[in-house]
Amino acid sequence: MLDTVRTIETPEGVNIRLRLAGPVPRALAYLLDSFIRAVVWLVSFIFFVRFGNFGLGIWLIGIFLLEWFYPVLFEVYAQGATPGKQALGLAVLQDDGVPVGWSASVVRNLLRTVDFLPSFYAFGLCSVLLNRDFKRLGDIVAKTIVVHRSKPRVPQKLPPGRALPLPIGLSSPEQQLIVAFAARVPRLTWDRAQELARILDSTNGQHTHATLHTDVVSLIGYAQHIVGEREPS
Amino acid sequence: MTPNEFTRRHEQEWEQLEALIAARSGRGSAKRSHRKYYPEMPDDSGMNRTEEQTVDQTVFPSLYRRVCLHLALARERHYPSALIDRLDRLTLSGHQAFYSARSRLLHNIAQFAVHDFPTLIREHARLFWFASALLYLPALLMGLLVHFQPEMVYSLLNHDNVRELEEMYRAGGAIEPETGSGRAADQNFKMLGFYVRNNISIGFQCFASGILFGLGTLFFLSLNGLIFGAVSAHLIHQGSAERFFQFVIAHGAFELTAIVLCGMAGLLLGRALISPGRRRRSEALAHAANPAVRIVFGATAMLLIAAFIEAFWSSGTYLPPTGKFIVGGLLWVLVAAYFLFMGARRAP
């Protein structure tokens, strides 16, 4: 299936949808992280080198931690996202949708060395492109996925209008369609909205006893009715 | 029921769950939102952790299940997608808050050190010996080669490396300066940083490259073995044997063993790919990852110990050579005893 949405079922029996992140946003996040690390590397060197050999020792240990544990610490303590991933709205999760733990995070980040081989993440890229969940080798072993963190969507405000009861019975998806259309009206030009609304004309023939008004104002009214607005009595 | 009415009726519960989730993940607004929904609770100052946890534990599960129900209803009734989205997100964060493990880190570490780690190694004893062979056999082979044909050392190391080595271990060289305690203290610190970074990175490489059907581990273990053999034999040939071995014997107990363990962890991954048994390869791999990464944790700790010993003890001249050999030998015995006797015995 050419779809990047994965559903996972919770033990309560409901499904949660996760949107998997592909190679491009992940590569960008990695570049951003590399940049941050390079800056830290340089600044800390300038700082520690003033303390002679002692400072260099501390610096080398710091560099070691930066190389191997920078992603691990952020993934475990910052909701699964390094600063780079944060900036691109990505997060690492366990396969079952719960936050990534220590051992999984360590595994996926230690295996980066192999994903990086032969150079510039060639193995990792192949793996991401071949795997249906966009997993690099580290993700396969650690059972983790990288997902787009969904931003809270502003509830769609319907344009103001008088609620109109539906003259005919419509199925749920059809009602949904009308609500979605009404919510889009403010972002369309009036002419385009009229034009889209007229497409509904073609469906009208099937209903005999009553007709749906297919002008924009009436459709907004139906939408208001569907979401539960009632004529103030 | 219309979407708006549905929202009106249940919105308070959703907000309450949101507040509880925020309180769990310990964000700033947690206290405030808590107060909002539990005004009957005593003041911030009066409300201690356990009371908060009680509220959390009694209310959270039922509330979370109700929101799951709301999500299912909203989907079934085809409510507007913004509403479904909101419930979807709420359920996801509830799921994550509810099912993520709360670990007792310190206790786990102690448990791991005194019990789990040595038991784990004994469980995979055959793999341990195999990894050892991959390190020590090439070392022995290369040692013999260099012993009988000294110029063979140049097949692995270039002239500069070799000169550096000879310089380091010659009488009165870097290892053995006039001053009493070997290298100056700040020099020790720099070397500590170097050893930590270098040795642990080698260990991680040995582990990670195991995923290439074990070939990477094979390569790194054997390469390190060959180099170790070549260096030892060359220095024996040069007559610096005593200085060299009194330097390496102490930290070698931890370092060489830890490298073998990292290789062993890598071989676990490789074995899962080569013979996955009754699992799919990807599943076998994920299954092998757990013991493998635990071994790597333990090995990393050993490499840290090794780095400290190497930096602050091995180069020092606190003891005469005989003393250093005795201490080093004792450390080898200690490491062996740890892996042989600590933790649970095999079931009788």
Side-chain angles (χ1 to χ4, degrees), chain A residues 24-48:
Chain A
V24 174
R26 290 176 64 172
L28 289 175
Y30 176 77
L31 284 181
L32 203 58
D33 279 329
S34 307
F35 178 73
I36 293 171
R37 278 195 272 193
V39 170
V40 173
W41 194 93
L42 198 67
V43 170
S44 63
F45 180 74
I46 292 169
F47 178 77
F48 281 115

Side-chain angles (χ1 to χ4, degrees), chain B residues 31-32 34-35 38-52:
Chain B
K31 269 262 157 58
R32 239 180 311 121
H34 220 94
R35 297 233 48 76
Y38 301 100
E40 74 277 14
M41 276 293 182
D43 224 39
D44 265 7
S45 47
M47 179 137 148
N48 59 34
R49 253 184 95 80
T50 39
E51 282 174 66
E52 259 180 54

Side-chain angles (χ1 to χ4, degrees), chain A residues 12 67 97 114 153 227 229, chain B residues 4 64 85 96 99 197 208:
Chain A
E12 285 73 28
E67 273 171 0
V114 182
R153 210 181 333 160
V227 300
E229 291 302 327
Chain B
N4 284 5
Y64 167 59
D85 261 13
Q96 294 182 340
Y99 290 102
R197 178 164 181 230

Side-chain angles (χ1 to χ4, degrees), chain B residues 93-159:
Chain B
S93 41
H95 174 72
Q96 294 182 340
F98 201 55
Y99 290 102
S100 64
R102 292 183 179 183
S103 63
R104 299 185 298 159
L105 193 62
L106 277 180
H107 175 259
N108 289 351
I109 289 176
Q111 169 77 9
F112 181 73
V114 302
H115 179 266
D116 294 0
F117 186 43
T119 315
L120 186 64
I121 303 303
R122 281 202 299 273
E123 224 171 87
H124 301 279
R126 278 171 58 201
L127 214 55
F128 174 82
W129 293 118
F130 184 56
S132 304
L134 284 180
L135 181 71
Y136 294 118
L137 284 185
L140 194 65
L141 192 74
M142 195 66 197
L144 289 175
L145 270 176
V146 174
H147 182 71
F148 291 113
Q149 277 199 303
E151 68 275 12
M152 279 296 289
V153 72
Y154 295 106
S155 62
L156 266 177
L157 305 170
N158 61 32
H159 279 269

Side-chain angles (χ1 to χ4, degrees), chain A residues 84-103:
Chain A
K85 290 198 178 73
Q86 196 96 50
L88 278 125
L90 305 179
V92 182
L93 295 178
Q94 221 94 49
D95 268 354
D96 55 0
V98 303
V100 67
W102 274 100
S103 87

